[in-house]
Amino acid sequence: MSDQVYLLLRHREIPDLDRLEVYRQNEGFQGFEKALQMKPADVVQQVKDSGLRGRGGAGFPTGLKWSFLPNNLWPHYVVANADESEPGTFKDREILERNPLQFLEGLMIACYAVQANTGYIYLRGEFWQIAAWLDEKIAELEQAGLLGDRILGTDYSLRLYTHLGAGAYICGEETALLESLEGKLGQPRLRPPFPAVEGLYGKPTVINNVETLSNLPVILGKGNSFYRQYGTDRSPGTKIFCLSGRVNRPGNYELPLGRTFRELIYEHGGGILEDGKIKAIMSAGASSTLIVADEKALDTPMTYEMTDALGAPLGSASVIILDETVDMKWLVHKTVSFFRHESCGKCTPCREGTYWMNHITRRLNSGQPNPEDVELLVDVAREIQGKCLCALGEFSTMAVLSGIEKFRSDFNGS
Amino acid sequence: MANQVTLTIDDLTVTVPEGTLVVDAARKAGIDIPVFCYHPKMEPVGMCRMCLVQVGRPMVDRATGQPVLDADGQPKIQFSPKLETSCTIPVSEGMVIRTNTPEVLRAHRDIIEFLLTSHPLDCPICDKGGECPLQDLTRAYGPGQSRFLLDDKMRLAKHVPLGELIYLDRERCILCARCIRFQDEIVDEPVLSFYHRGRSMQIVTYSDPPFDSYFSGNTTDICPVGALTTADFRFAARPWELKNNASICTQCPVGCNTTLNTRREVKSGGKWVVKRVMPRQNELVNEIWICDKGRFGYHYAESGERILSPHVRKEQGLVPVSWDEALDLVEQRLRQAGAGTVTLAGGRLANEDLFNLAQVTDHLGGRKLLHTQVGGGEYVQRYGLGKGSNLGELGKGDAILVIASDLQEEAPVWWLRVKRAADRGAALMVLNPRPTRLDPYARFIHHYRYGEELEALGRLAAGEGELAEAAEALRSAENLVIFYGSEGLGLAETTALAREAAGLLAGSGRAGKVNSGLIGVWQQNNTLGAYDMGFRPEADLAGALSGSGLAWIAAADPAGDHPALEAALKQAGFLVVQDLFMTRTAQMADVVLPAQAFTEREGTFTSGERRVQRFYPAVAAPPGPLADFSIAARVGLRVGIELEGASAATVMLRIAASVPAYAGLDYALISEVSEQWPIIGREDRYYGGTGYDNHQGLGVQLQPDAVTDPDGEVSIAMAAPAPLQVPEGAVYLAPVTRLYDQGLTLKPSMKIVGQRMARREVWLNPETAARLGFGAASLVTLEGEGWTASGVEIRVDEQLPPDVLLAPRSVGIPATGPEAVRLRPLVTEPEA
Amino acid sequence: MNAFHAKYQTEIEQILAKYPPERKRSAVMPLLFLAQRDDNYISPNELADIAEILEMSVTDVASVVGFYTLFYDQHEGRYRIQVCTDLPCALRGAETFFEALCKELGVSSGGTTPDGLFTIEEVKCLAACHRAPVFQVQGDGEIAYYENQTAETALQVIAALREKAVQEARSREGAA
Ligand SMILES: Cc1cc2nc3c(=O)[nH]c(=O)nc-3n(C[C@H](O)[C@H](O)[C@H](O)COP(=O)(O)O)c2cc1C
Ligand code: SF4
Ligand code: FES
């Protein structure tokens, strides 16, 4: 049995890692201190070279994203995306609750790299206690001279603040998040301009996921060759896989990128509940394309590039397992009703399309569908595609179209 | 000038300035891309997704940076994998846009289908039916049939009052946010917003009063469906039954271009009646907006209280008589009075009326007086905006000074344009005795004490103290526009203020310059035209009237305005009044001559920006009343001067021949139009809204005297006012203007705007009120110079400066300028 | 200074200090949470006071309340029992759990117990999918998670909250 590798979930091996002295005894803030000795541009370069890709869903190269910030427009901001609202995702929460200092250190490195003097942490409203917890930690870091003015005797100053959302999945989308942070409705902005150029308060802004940021202390502290020994060439490092659904041991599993679904589900997750038979995998939460859990799929290594080959993105690696007890009609209604509830309402196809699909999927599950309903559902989903302002609308069609295509029999006779 | 960019749209080669959006570039080329959320006056948001097109860009070789060429040596075009919203992408060189491929048309159909899923399709009972973008676009692009089950349809409230003026039908709303963005971006009164999210989203207002804005009606024009309707027009008529008649708003000196929509109605005996007032595009004046007073305040013209025949005073009082009988008497008395004739005209009259009145008066050797509390027109004639000016062009590098004016109350669309100029970067300086709604956009705000406006202006001119920076901005500005108003001021004070402001402008070498000049914020729409026709205000109006052999009053109600004037009129040898209504003055008259309303005739007004604009008849006049210029012509004929009484156009030719500033003007010139941007009001109503485009004239701006006669001078007999002394126990009263006043022309619109009308109340700082011994809401009697007003309510406002009492004009408090008044607890004897 | 500002002066200053002074509007969500602290809803007066503090229109503040599901402008239960019945939890019995809980409390989804203490509702994913069934309690200005629940354990949580409310009422009476 292959083991998990704890670069991010180090608290699982080191008790009390959330305490500053323990964290410092365990290489804590070495990455940040190293960064402070480097030119900011060199920090960006090192992160570029590390190959780190965003863990928030899109897998965009982190260093590259940072390099887009113009140097003639100030101030710069960094915002940590701790909105974690994709159904099936619960990894950022574990980092924040158990290993908060590593996350904060990562955020501090990102801030230094782009020379931001203010960083915000946008947490979903339900993480109310976590926000209070982070506030405590931030205060401790200020006490210790790691945050505040002229950090560790350098010219660099930095303040971090938490900010709570209040129940809106769309605020995980980076431009909606910025709107929300500015006190407005969480509705996505037009792009371009991208946040790197016009972000928070119209200023150049980096937005990174909690897990992405938590990689930085490792990359800076231990170097790229250490980091790159995990994962694949195009997907270096480890990834926290959130395993949920019909498995015996749901939970977070930190594995190098490139391990197979089979390993995750059967070795770590302990197999299917009640010895059932696996039917499908969702790799990116409710936004997933359904993967038929055949042998080929199970043996596919989980990386950004390999899952693309399955026609399904890795996303935030929120792996929801479906077994034979799951009726895809029901599943599709579940996902659609989620997106209907969370559609921000700004653009027509998502707002109206999710509302309409929700009616159809409900009817499909009512036992009294109309004969044309399945075709209509496919049509409506296709009509949504390619027309929305942000990805949410697109996400709402994923399970629908792949579900009907791959599990048609679940829809027959309904 | 911006760089030009050339692109291809549906095989048409188009060249437009850099920064133009694809949707606008297409529009300029005559290609209509359908839109719902996009509006050319607002920032694009890309919400509705209706305007999706295929976008191709020339491929560029990454290594060389050179365009990749195809076999024919043409640049290779790469089309983006997804359709893009044409309302959000600026053009770029070599771009190729396709607006009519099957894929694009399919996308249009899909969006329409989505919009219709939760739309009630109640076109047959919808006010917008017939001019509805959704209806039009559904016919053009939509699916023939709905696949959405009726049972699944949203049922939402259909008659939600967003305040008394505007109603919302929640079912019809397509959530394009145009109304929200208009209030937010253009007006900066964010009183509308979304509530909930997703398909549950709804438009709400939480302001007090609800939908608290003077511009609310505009949202009904730009709403692309029948979701927003006005209380005035909803259920009133179908758009296709309406005729369009060009007009000019008569409510303030901005001179907004309007269209009066009329319909023949059975309940009016088959007569044409005005059903609504709509904005008519004039980018130089009001763009495509009007204020709510202009939109809802027209009802006076159709009021049942109109005077329909001439009246002559007999034993039993005023009795209706024939025109001949009335004119016989007028002729006889005029001949007797001769040079003792005093003609007092109001600024509501058209230029043609004023010209004929002036001719008759001059012929008799009488005096031409103007009834106004705002003076200084002579300075505006000389130093007004240079010909070719456009407030819409002011921006970075320019300066605007507003002094003694609550501009939003006095002239809302000027407020809007000044605010927009400030948005574009113009340095706005506001000098006022109290905070106003213009302050948030001002770069420099100076609050002086009531009565110290001249000192404040002097300090600015001298660049003293805290005004040094403002003075510098003023000096270095490319263009300078100065607005002076009548906040707390009367005739003498405004005249003095105009002189100082003119001096500031001329002293900086900007006299006559395009986009620079002096603007008086008049209380009436054509005060400036009255100046041009030779009428002048008189400081001692009461003296002039009481000493007159005959007082001929047109479109003014001096007796209603002030007891002293009423008393003076009693002394006049004979009183002739021409008006629409039996005003207090008319009731005292010896002869009353009924005049036509502006909706029933034609003529021209000269706006505060010195633009001569033409209005047209919209409805037939009732038998009886005549146009004021016709009345004057008939009177003239009888006293021996031949004037044009039938054709307003001919009167204008006479004006052109004898008033130098109007030389060369005729109706054809005033009616000229040129292409305006944005293009609105055609078949493509989804683009700019249901406002009307302008086929009837953009008007002609007059050249200021400073240009035509550089050596001339302004001479005014009026003495500068002495500073007001407030005796012990009295308080300084400052008259102020409220948009919804209780004036004659607004009262008939009471049922619409009544709740927002200025009340019989005065405003004080709470400490001042306490010092005077009154609390909020107490009722008092005011005693001024020669008048008392009782039953006046005290209102307190912490924002007001101490020791001054603000009294709205036209609510029955006769003060015409700053005055020292005494307050007594209300005595319930009838008012004097 | 308006009533709300006076009541939470220190907290408000602290919140405002997080954002650039010309970007006060950013504080709207934190202030709304503050307003919800005492009775789990935002009253019209609080709405107006927040608008004044942040120089926003009341409509814009209300609009924020309307968009986000954790804000309420209606007075409902002092505690909101929010059970996740979203897909991952539903795969692990959350829907049955929710129904059982509703039945025990004698209210239907979205309903409030007769004592006005508890409103029970279904919510979307709470980031606790691996510990389903799960619910959170929103009330008294806090949000607390309860994971790996059964109807019995949930009822114990509810009983404890009810006890707390009873005690408080008693001590208030005692004080009065
Ligand atoms: C509808 C939607 C929801 C999202 N939710 C989250 C989220 O909860 N957390 C997150 O980190 N990223 C989320 N994202 C991705 C972010 O937009 C953004 O890509 C990410 O925060 C970037 O961080 P990274 O580069 O570190 O991955 C979401 C995106 C979309 C379209
Ligand atoms: S896709 Fe949905 S969530 Fe995204 S902007 Fe459109 S309506 Fe909002
Ligand atoms: S998205 Fe372009 S017009 Fe609405």
Side-chain angles (χ1 to χ4, degrees), chain B residues 271-615:
Chain B
K271 284 199 310 246
W272 289 91
V273 291
V274 176
K275 299 305 293 179
R276 65 176 180 181
V277 176
M278 298 288 279
R280 185 166 51 105
Q281 185 178 29
N282 190 337
E283 292 296 319
L284 304 165
V285 178
N286 54 303
E287 304 177 29
I288 58 171
W289 318 121
I290 55 174
C291 80
D292 289 351
K293 187 180 186 184
R295 191 181 297 263
F296 301 120
Y298 67 90
H299 290 278
Y300 72 90
E302 66 196 21
S303 156
E305 319 239 300
R306 288 273 299 278
I307 317 170
L308 296 178
S309 74
H311 286 64
V312 164
R313 183 166 302 282
K314 301 200 169 157
E315 270 146 41
Q316 62 274 49
L318 281 172
V319 292
V321 296
S322 69
W323 272 102
D324 275 340
E325 184 179 342
L327 290 175
D328 283 347
L329 184 55
V330 173
E331 174 186 344
Q332 183 201 338
R333 300 306 298 243
L334 270 178
R335 285 182 188 279
Q336 282 172 14
T341 301
V342 170
T343 304
L344 178 68
R348 269 191 1 246
L349 293 173
N351 289 324
E352 292 73 6
D353 308 330
L354 291 155
F355 178 77
N356 276 0
L357 279 168
Q359 294 287 303
V360 180
T361 313
D362 286 347
H363 176 73
L364 293 165
R367 298 186 66 194
K368 308 186 294 279
L369 301 185
L370 173 60
H371 193 45
T372 178
Q373 291 172 18
V374 181
E378 299 88 341
Y379 296 104
V380 179
Q381 288 176 317
R382 182 147 201 89
Y383 300 109
L385 290 179
K387 185 176 167 80
S389 295
N390 177 1
L391 296 177
E393 285 170 6
L394 296 179
K396 227 185 174 87
D398 301 322
I400 303 174
L401 167 63
V402 176
I403 180 160
S405 173
D406 187 344
L407 201 55
Q408 200 189 49
E409 301 285 344
E410 295 179 4
V413 168
W414 274 343
W415 175 88
L416 191 65
R417 300 198 90 208
V418 167
K419 172 208 172 267
R420 298 289 281 166
D423 290 348
R424 288 188 299 269
L428 173 61
M429 317 174 186
V430 178
L431 268 57
N432 260 332
R434 65 178 168 97
T436 69
R437 278 282 297 131
L438 200 54
D439 292 8
Y441 319 102
R443 199 173 299 169
F444 307 99
I445 303 171
H446 178 67
H447 292 152
Y448 57 80
R449 287 168 55 98
Y450 275 94
E452 296 182 357
E453 62 283 350
L454 295 182
E455 290 84 338
L457 201 54
R459 278 200 295 279
L460 176 66
E464 279 168 25
E466 54 170 312
L467 287 170
E469 221 183 307
E472 181 45 40
L474 196 145
R475 253 193 301 278
S476 60
E478 168 76 21
N479 298 301
L480 171 63
V481 174
I482 305 182
F483 288 86
Y484 72 96
S486 55
E487 170 74 20
L489 307 181
L491 180 58
E493 293 81 12
T494 47
T495 307
L497 183 59
R499 185 186 59 229
E500 292 304 312
L504 181 66
L505 201 99
S508 67
R510 294 193 184 87
K513 215 171 152 247
V514 177
N515 286 338
S516 288
L518 183 63
I519 300 182
V521 188
W522 314 108
Q523 287 158 336
Q524 261 132 12
N525 57 317
N526 199 31
T527 305
L528 208 46
Y531 270 98
D532 290 343
M533 299 307 133
F535 288 81
R536 290 292 177 276
E538 163 61 52
D540 181 17
L541 183 56
L545 291 173
S546 64
S548 66
L550 181 149
W552 183 4
I553 317 264
D557 181 21
D561 290 345
H562 203 287
L565 296 178
E566 185 171 20
L569 285 173
K570 286 188 186 141
Q571 310 285 311
F574 193 74
L575 183 55
V576 179
V577 173
Q578 60 192 61
D579 209 307
L580 300 178
F581 297 104
M582 269 298 172
T583 59
R584 203 146 161 159
T585 306
Q587 285 167 29
M588 297 169 64
D590 297 299
V591 178
V592 178
L593 305 174
Q596 290 176 353
F598 78 104
T599 52
E600 297 157 357
R601 45 162 294 193
E602 63 180 335
T604 60
F605 297 128
T606 302
S607 79
E609 297 172 56
R610 306 198 75 230
R611 181 173 294 279
V612 182
Q613 306 191 99
R614 193 173 160 195
F615 62 95

Side-chain angles (χ1 to χ4, degrees), chain C residues 111-169:
Chain C
T112 303
T113 52
D115 56 6
L117 277 181
F118 302 99
T119 297
I120 184 154
E121 50 200 2
E122 284 177 87
V123 294
K124 301 298 176 195
C125 183
L126 294 175
C129 327
H130 52 324
R131 300 182 189 141
V134 48
F135 66 91
Q136 66 181 3
V137 178
Q138 188 185 12
D140 298 346
E142 300 182 6
I143 299 172
Y145 273 71
Y146 297 89
E147 302 177 315
N148 294 319
Q149 292 292 301
T150 61
E152 294 76 61
T153 56
L155 287 173
Q156 282 163 20
V157 172
I158 288 168
L161 288 168
R162 184 169 271 140
E163 181 57 26
K164 181 181 165 199
V166 170
Q167 291 297 342
E168 274 177 17

Side-chain angles (χ1 to χ4, degrees), chain C residues 11-176:
Chain C
E11 288 92 336
I12 291 174
E13 304 311 322
Q14 271 169 8
I15 290 169
L16 287 175
K18 292 184 173 187
Y19 313 99
E22 71 283 6
R23 303 290 183 169
K24 274 192 214 166
R25 185 180 179 140
S26 276
V28 65
M29 288 166 66
L31 292 200
L32 288 169
F33 274 124
L34 203 55
Q36 262 181 195
R37 212 184 250 188
D38 47 7
D39 41 15
N40 219 5
Y41 94 110
I42 299 143
S43 70
N45 285 341
E46 286 166 331
L47 218 54
D49 286 359
I50 290 173
E52 188 180 280
I53 296 168
L54 301 181
E55 294 164 33
M56 294 169 70
S57 75
V58 183
T59 308
D60 281 344
V61 180
S63 162
V64 171
V65 173
F67 187 87
Y68 296 96
T69 56
L70 290 177
F71 294 136
Y72 316 97
D73 52 14
Q74 299 299 319
H75 201 167
E76 286 173 293
R78 170 170 167 182
Y79 298 104
R80 288 179 175 268
I81 310 290
Q82 300 171 327
V83 180
C84 175
T85 57
D86 211 347
L87 173 66
C89 282
L91 289 169
R92 305 183 72 80
E95 289 176 329
T96 335
F97 166 77
F98 179 71
E99 277 160 30
L101 202 56
C102 283
K103 209 167 142 206
E104 292 288 346
L105 289 174
V107 288
S108 53
S109 179
T112 303
T113 52
D115 56 6
L117 277 181
F118 302 99
T119 297
I120 184 154
E121 50 200 2
E122 284 177 87
V123 294
K124 301 298 176 195
C125 183
L126 294 175
C129 327
H130 52 324
R131 300 182 189 141
V134 48
F135 66 91
Q136 66 181 3
V137 178
Q138 188 185 12
D140 298 346
E142 300 182 6
I143 299 172
Y145 273 71
Y146 297 89
E147 302 177 315
N148 294 319
Q149 292 292 301
T150 61
E152 294 76 61
T153 56
L155 287 173
Q156 282 163 20
V157 172
I158 288 168
L161 288 168
R162 184 169 271 140
E163 181 57 26
K164 181 181 165 199
V166 170
Q167 291 297 342
E168 274 177 17
R170 262 200 214 116
S171 65
R172 259 200 311 277
E173 269 162 35

Side-chain angles (χ1 to χ4, degrees), chain B residues 601-784:
Chain B
R601 45 162 294 193
E602 63 180 335
T604 60
F605 297 128
T606 302
S607 79
E609 297 172 56
R610 306 198 75 230
R611 181 173 294 279
V612 182
Q613 306 191 99
R614 193 173 160 195
F615 62 95
Y616 297 73
V619 296
L626 294 173
D628 287 280
F629 73 89
S630 302
I631 302 177
R634 290 194 183 196
V635 172
L637 206 57
R638 288 175 176 259
V639 296
I641 172 169
E642 199 169 321
L643 295 169
E644 172 62 38
S647 153
T650 309
V651 181
M652 179 47 76
L653 293 177
R654 302 238 173 129
I655 295 175
S658 61
V659 180
Y662 290 63
L665 280 195
D666 60 37
Y667 271 20
L669 201 60
I670 299 170
S671 314
E672 274 180 13
V673 289
S674 53
E675 172 92 336
Q676 302 192 75
W677 180 260
I679 300 163
I680 73 150
R682 307 197 183 153
E683 283 303 291
D684 50 358
R685 279 171 298 238
Y686 45 86
Y687 186 63
T690 43
Y692 285 83
D693 58 350
N694 200 325
H695 299 294
Q696 302 89 352
L698 301 179
V700 173
Q701 196 166 33
L702 302 176
Q703 192 65 271
D705 296 351
V707 175
T708 50
D709 173 20
D711 300 326
E713 266 177 58
V714 175
S715 76
I716 298 182
M718 198 167 307
L724 175 64
Q725 302 297 330
V726 181
E728 189 62 30
V731 61
Y732 189 114
L733 176 148
V736 299
T737 301
R738 297 289 312 280
L739 183 66
Y740 297 125
D741 57 20
Q742 292 191 17
L744 269 182
T745 51
L746 203 55
K747 273 209 161 149
S749 300
M750 195 78 179
K751 64 177 194 306
I752 309 287
V753 295
Q755 288 183 45
R756 293 176 194 220
M757 244 173 211
R759 280 181 252 283
R760 197 176 168 83
E761 58 197 19
V762 289
W763 293 79
L764 294 154
N765 174 293
E767 280 164 29
T768 304
R771 180 174 63 73
L772 294 168
F774 298 99
S778 37
L779 290 178
V780 296
T781 298
L782 300 183
E783 285 177 3

